[in-house]
């Protein structure tokens, strides 16, 4: 099975986050059994969660492919000025004009 670097990072990041979640549940159980107060998660579990999240985010950006430029000028240059304001989805022919026209001219 072929895994690219991006997919491997996503998989590793998800596994690290899952391990951090399991570790936090185990830490919470340990605190309940030893009757110690909960003062937050240890630094190593928090660091695992953050590192796993960053690994997964970086891997997703590697897997997603090339980003495209956000520029409306390439689409606008192909259209004429008359067609820029022409939006057919705003056409609405079922309105009060028919009722008013029939009242005024009948």
């Amino acid at each position: 099975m072929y895994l690219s670097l991006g997919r491997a990072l996503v998989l590793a990041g998800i596994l690290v986050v899952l391990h951090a979640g399991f570790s936090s549940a185990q830490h919470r159980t340990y605190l309940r059994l030893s009757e110690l107060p909960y003062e937050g998660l240890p630094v190593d579990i928090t660091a695992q969660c953050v590192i796993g999240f960053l690994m997964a985010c970086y891997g997703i950006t590697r897997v997603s492919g090339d980003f495209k430029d956000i520029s409306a000028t390439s689409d606008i240059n192909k259209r004429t000025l008359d067609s820029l304001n022409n939006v057919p989805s705003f056409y609405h022919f079922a309105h009060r004009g028919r009722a008013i026209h029939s009242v005024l001219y009948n």
Side-chain angles (χ1 to χ4, degrees):
M1 182 172 148
Y2 173 72
L3 281 177
S4 67
L5 177 64
R7 291 181 186 195
L9 282 173
V10 170
L11 180 64
I14 289 173
L15 289 176
V16 169
V17 169
L18 287 175
H19 183 266
F22 179 73
S23 296
S24 67
Q26 189 176 14
H27 177 70
R28 183 79 170 163
T29 303
Y30 166 73
L31 289 178
R32 281 191 200 139
L33 291 176
S34 63
E35 297 177 357
L36 295 172
Y38 179 74
E39 297 175 357
L41 289 175
V43 176
D44 61 336
I45 296 175
T46 306
Q48 277 183 10
C49 190
V50 170
I51 290 170
F53 175 73
L54 292 175
M55 284 173 58
C57 285
Y58 182 70
I60 287 172
T61 58
R62 296 279 307 227
V63 170
S64 66
D66 295 334
F67 292 115
K68 294 183 179 179
D69 291 335
I70 301 175
S71 63
T73 57
S74 62
D75 293 334
I76 291 175
N77 288 339
K78 297 175 186 175
R79 297 176 65 183
T80 63
L81 188 59
D82 294 331
S83 67
L84 288 176
N85 292 329
N86 186 10
V87 183
S89 62
F90 289 131
Y91 293 171
H92 186 65
F93 296 108
H95 50 76
R96 293 179 284 191
R98 289 183 190 164
I100 293 173
H101 185 269
S102 64
V103 169
L104 290 176
Y105 296 108
N106 286 336

